[in-house]
Amino acid sequence: MSHSVQAMQPITSHDGDCEALQADRVAVLLVGYGEVQSYRDLSRYNQAATKYIAAQFVPIPEWLYPLAGWLLTLQDLYDFGIKHDHFMSPENEIFEKQRLGIETLLQNQWEKRAQVFKGFYFCKPFVQDVVTDIIQQGFQSLLIYPLLVVDSAFTSKIAVEQVNEVIATTTQSELRSSPFRSIRYIPGFATEPTYIDLLVRQMQERLHQPSVKQFFASQIGIVLTVHGGPAKANGLLTGVIDGQALYDRVQAQLQQKYPLVSIGWINHDMPFTQWSQPDLKQAAKNLIKAGAQTILFKPLGWATENFETILDVEDAIKALQRQYPTVTYTRLDCVNDDPDFLKIAAEWANPQIEAMLSVPQKERAQTNEA
C-alpha cells in the first residue's frame, strides 16, 4: 500500500493560524493486536503475525510468510469455527470502549489538543493506515501507546516498527526529516504501582464473594495468567521478563493470606522453541496437588479480553474438570473498560502530552483563568 503526504500549499495568514493549531496537538495512538471480525481475513492476519512475531524466534524466510499464514489459518478455522462454534472475540469492541474512555478523560484536561486514535497490528484499522491519516490531519506530535499486552520489550516493539515504516515512506526526500516534530512512547506497565494495585483490588473483591469464602484461604488456588513467550527471540528480550515482574508484584500482595498462588503462562507452543513454564494447566495442577479446592484464573498480562484470555482458559478448565472433577474453577476478566483502569491509563499519558505540547500546562491554566 502506498502512503503519501498531501502536497504543501502556500500558507496565508489564516493557513498559518490553522497550521499552528494543528501543530500544537497530540495524536495518542492506542495500539494492539486486534482480532478479525470475518474469518475471510484470517490469512492476512496470520501472514502479518508471522512477519512481526513468529519470525522473531523461528527462522522463517520471507517467501514462506504466505504459506505459514495459510497453515495458521487452517488451524484457526478449526479452533474458532468448529471447536468453539464460530467464536468471535470481543477484543476490538472493548478496545474501542477503552479508546473512547481514555479520550474523554484526556480531553477533559487538554480539550481538543489531544485526540486518541486506535490501530491494530494485524487487522483493520491497520497501524500504518492510521498513522498515515494522523499525518494527513496535520498532527506533528505522536504518542505511541501499546495497550493490549504488558510486554513492551517484545510485541510492543511492533508498534514502533510499523510507525517507522510509515515515516520511511512519507519522509520528504529534500529535508530527510520525519513528518512528526515529536514522537514519544509509553512502555509496558508491568511495574506500574497503580495497575498492580488495581489488579490486587479486583482479586480481593472476588476472593470475598460467598462462592469463594466457603473455602479456607489455604484451599484457594490463584493462577495469575501472563502472556507466554519464547526464551530467546533474535536477541530481543521477550515479554517473559515483564510478565514475571508483574506477577511477582501482584503475588507479593496476595501470598501472605492466600499461599496457593502461581504464575500461569499462556503459551503457543511451536517446534524447536522453549516456552515459559509452568503453562496454564500445569500451574493449576500444581496448586490442586497442594490442596486447592477451587481455582481462580486472573489475567495479568492483558488489558483487554481476547481469545487467549477466554478460549485458552476455558479449554484448560474443561481439561482440568475431567481430571479433577471435585475442584471448582472460575475464569476472571481483564481490566477491560473498568473506569479505574481508564483513569490510570489516561494519567500515564498526561506527562507525555504535556511534554509534547508547545505551551506548558501551567501557562495554559493561567491563560484560561485570565
Side-chain angles (χ1 to χ4, degrees), residues 156-216:
S156 297
K157 156 193 164 290
I158 300 171
V160 179
E161 182 176 354
Q162 293 189 345
V163 169
N164 281 338
E165 289 173 358
V166 177
I167 290 175
T169 61
T170 57
T171 296
Q172 299 178 35
S173 58
E174 305 84 21
L175 301 178
R176 296 292 179 188
S177 61
S178 166
F180 295 109
R181 179 185 62 189
S182 177
I183 297 178
R184 285 182 171 245
Y185 173 79
I186 295 182
F189 32 96
T191 57
E192 285 288 344
T194 49
Y195 181 65
I196 293 161
D197 290 345
L198 174 62
L199 293 172
V200 171
R201 185 165 69 252
Q202 288 183 340
M203 277 301 310
Q204 290 174 336
E205 289 172 356
R206 191 58 184 249
L207 289 164
H208 282 89
Q209 290 187 359
S211 60
V212 181
K213 287 191 70 175
Q214 63 177 306
F215 301 99
F216 292 114

Side-chain angles (χ1 to χ4, degrees), residues 87-338:
F87 172 81
M88 280 293 171
S89 171
E91 177 186 330
N92 295 7
E93 180 181 351
I94 296 171
F95 204 82
E96 172 61 13
K97 291 179 180 178
Q98 291 175 327
R99 189 201 67 78
L100 284 170
I102 292 171
E103 181 173 72
T104 298
L105 291 165
L106 290 178
Q107 290 188 344
N108 285 342
Q109 178 163 350
W110 305 106
E111 297 181 338
K112 297 299 183 181
R113 307 184 84 184
Q115 186 171 339
V116 182
F117 298 81
K118 68 178 179 186
F120 295 132
Y121 297 149
F122 310 137
C123 65
K124 295 180 180 179
F126 293 100
V127 167
Q128 295 95 328
D129 295 336
V130 177
V131 174
T132 300
D133 182 47
I134 288 170
I135 294 170
Q136 292 175 343
Q137 289 191 42
F139 286 89
Q140 294 185 15
S141 294
L142 175 67
L143 177 58
I144 305 171
Y145 198 159
L147 196 66
L148 174 63
V149 290
V150 190
D151 55 356
S152 66
F154 184 53
T155 56
S156 297
K157 156 193 164 290
I158 300 171
V160 179
E161 182 176 354
Q162 293 189 345
V163 169
N164 281 338
E165 289 173 358
V166 177
I167 290 175
T169 61
T170 57
T171 296
Q172 299 178 35
S173 58
E174 305 84 21
L175 301 178
R176 296 292 179 188
S177 61
S178 166
F180 295 109
R181 179 185 62 189
S182 177
I183 297 178
R184 285 182 171 245
Y185 173 79
I186 295 182
F189 32 96
T191 57
E192 285 288 344
T194 49
Y195 181 65
I196 293 161
D197 290 345
L198 174 62
L199 293 172
V200 171
R201 185 165 69 252
Q202 288 183 340
M203 277 301 310
Q204 290 174 336
E205 289 172 356
R206 191 58 184 249
L207 289 164
H208 282 89
Q209 290 187 359
S211 60
V212 181
K213 287 191 70 175
Q214 63 177 306
F215 301 99
F216 292 114
S218 61
Q219 296 177 315
I220 299 171
I222 302 171
V223 178
L224 302 175
T225 64
V226 185
H227 196 284
K232 297 179 181 179
N234 286 352
L236 296 171
L237 297 174
T238 73
V240 172
I241 294 175
D242 290 328
Q244 186 69 51
L246 175 58
Y247 165 77
D248 289 342
R249 286 161 173 77
V250 175
Q251 184 249 18
Q253 294 193 44
L254 294 173
Q255 194 172 36
Q256 289 188 359
K257 186 172 182 180
Y258 302 96
L260 295 185
V261 182
S262 174
I263 195 169
W265 299 98
I266 296 185
N267 296 331
H268 300 285
D269 293 330
M270 293 185 178
F272 314 112
T273 304
Q274 180 182 355
W275 283 70
S276 39
Q277 294 296 325
D279 64 18
L280 189 62
K281 286 189 290 187
Q282 187 60 53
K285 290 178 181 180
N286 293 343
L287 298 180
I288 292 169
K289 290 177 181 178
Q293 294 299 304
T294 186
I295 302 289
L296 281 71
F297 297 91
K298 172 63 177 176
L300 301 188
W302 299 263
T304 310
E305 222 71 63
N306 60 90
F307 78 91
E308 292 174 306
T309 64
I310 298 175
L311 298 187
D312 287 6
V313 175
E314 290 181 352
D315 285 348
I317 288 175
K318 289 177 182 177
L320 290 164
Q321 285 174 329
R322 289 192 292 269
Q323 189 171 0
Y324 305 100
T326 61
V327 177
T328 61
Y329 307 89
T330 306
R331 178 181 67 82
L332 305 181
D333 295 333
C334 298
V335 291
N336 294 324
D337 55 339
D338 184 308

